[in-house]
Amino acid sequence: MRPLSTIPPEVLRSLRGVLFDLDDTALSHGVLTREAYDAIWSMHDAGLVLVAVTGRPSGWGEVIARQWPVDGAVTENGAVHVVRHGVGVDVHETGTPEQLAERKERLRALVESVARAVPRARLADDSYARRSDVAWDIGERDALDGASIAALEREVMSAGARTTRSSVHLHASYESDDKATGAVRFLREQLGEDPGRALGRYAFIGDSGNDAPCFSAFRVTFGVANVRAHLPRLPVPPRWVASRERGAGFAEIARVLVAARG
């Protein structure tokens, strides 16, 4: 990882847009600070396409797409897309109604099996707003110990689900998308981008394990300073890193992006 000052200006000027994580990236301990929100508006005013890419639920994405200066949100680690449409939003899931119902039933059964096997694990308090996955709180309101997290991961994988870990939640899903494939699909389906070109035309900003697919896929990637705590779970680290953590680091990166556009 290199400091922001080493980025070639021509790389920044070539960008069409920015994809960014929420928890502990744009948000600071769950709070959208004034500095971070100003940074989002500054990038928007500079003409950058903006898409939130998060493990948070589609219910959050509906609020973000309505109220923030973004072009949409890729939620639930890539599975559900939310796009502003006039004064409202459209929500896009993959699969037939029958397939979606089957996945929901499998998730319900998984929640029950985890409750029996790892009674210490508690569902995240945003679970009611989810469509395609389920999340357990491991570090937001409930600091789950390492042994319990490992047992939770084993139970999820034994049920044939895919597990993803953020800085605050452990997710389980029967969907095939991760953050990178979900983001590229959003750029193709909603914004008409060529998938191959999009990997070089869009930057990604993140901080933790579930951002690993985007750090690997996109050519211009940034981490806020607290990404260093998650490096053991990142096969490929971000290429450049901010000096500050969370929302302050996000704002630091935004200033560099905006300055390069004159």
Side-chain angles (χ1 to χ4, degrees):
M1 298 189 300
R2 291 162 285 179
L4 298 180
S5 60
T6 65
I7 307 172
E10 60 272 18
V11 170
L12 297 176
R13 287 194 293 267
S14 70
L15 294 174
R16 181 162 190 263
V18 178
L19 315 172
F20 61 91
D21 172 54
L22 293 183
D23 280 293
D24 292 328
T25 299
L27 304 181
S28 298
H29 303 293
V31 175
L32 179 63
T33 64
R34 178 180 297 180
E35 183 180 23
Y37 198 45
D38 284 347
I40 296 170
W41 272 105
S42 294
M43 290 190 288
H44 170 270
D45 291 345
L48 288 163
V49 174
L50 300 176
V51 182
V53 182
T54 179
R56 288 292 185 173
S58 54
W60 279 41
E62 292 183 40
V63 175
I64 288 167
R66 285 176 188 271
Q67 298 184 350
W68 293 18
V70 298
D71 294 81
V74 177
T75 66
E76 300 181 25
N77 289 306
V80 185
H81 297 168
V82 184
V83 189
R84 188 198 307 272
H85 187 79
V87 296
V89 295
D90 290 337
V91 180
H92 300 270
E93 294 183 82
T94 58
T96 65
E98 292 76 18
Q99 290 170 328
L100 296 176
E102 179 189 358
R103 291 171 199 164
K104 189 176 292 292
E105 175 58 26
R106 294 180 74 187
L107 288 172
R108 185 199 62 76
L110 176 59
V111 168
E112 290 184 353
S113 69
V114 166
R116 291 191 296 269
V118 194
R120 175 74 175 78
R122 296 287 182 268
L123 287 174
D125 64 6
D126 63 11
S127 293
Y128 69 93
R130 295 182 176 276
R131 294 170 181 261
S132 71
D133 77 345
V134 63
W136 289 269
D137 189 347
I138 62 171
E140 186 173 33
R141 301 180 67 179
D142 189 7
L144 199 61
D145 61 275
S148 296
I149 293 173
L152 174 56
E153 288 180 318
R154 288 194 299 271
E155 189 67 20
V156 169
M157 290 187 288
S158 70
R162 181 170 59 84
T163 180
T164 309
R165 183 173 171 180
S166 74
S167 59
V168 292
H169 293 157
L170 189 138
H171 303 260
S173 175
Y174 291 101
E175 304 287 341
S176 58
D177 275 319
D178 56 28
K179 277 193 172 184
T181 60
V184 170
R185 183 164 60 83
F186 179 96
L187 295 174
R188 183 187 73 244
E189 295 176 356
Q190 309 305 332
L191 302 181
E193 291 283 358
D194 173 81
R197 293 186 67 197
L199 295 175
R201 298 181 71 192
Y202 287 79
F204 177 78
I205 309 172
D207 79 295
S208 65
N210 65 335
D211 296 321
C214 288
F215 287 145
S216 298
F218 288 89
R219 298 188 184 97
V220 182
T221 56
F222 301 98
V224 288
N226 44 292
V227 72
R228 290 187 173 89
H230 301 276
L231 290 178
R233 293 197 299 276
L234 294 175
V236 177
R239 287 168 174 79
W240 291 279
V241 64
S243 63
R244 302 172 71 190
E245 295 187 347
R246 298 177 172 84
F250 177 78
E252 179 185 349
I253 295 165
R255 285 192 291 271
V256 171
L257 290 165
V258 171
R261 301 176 76 82

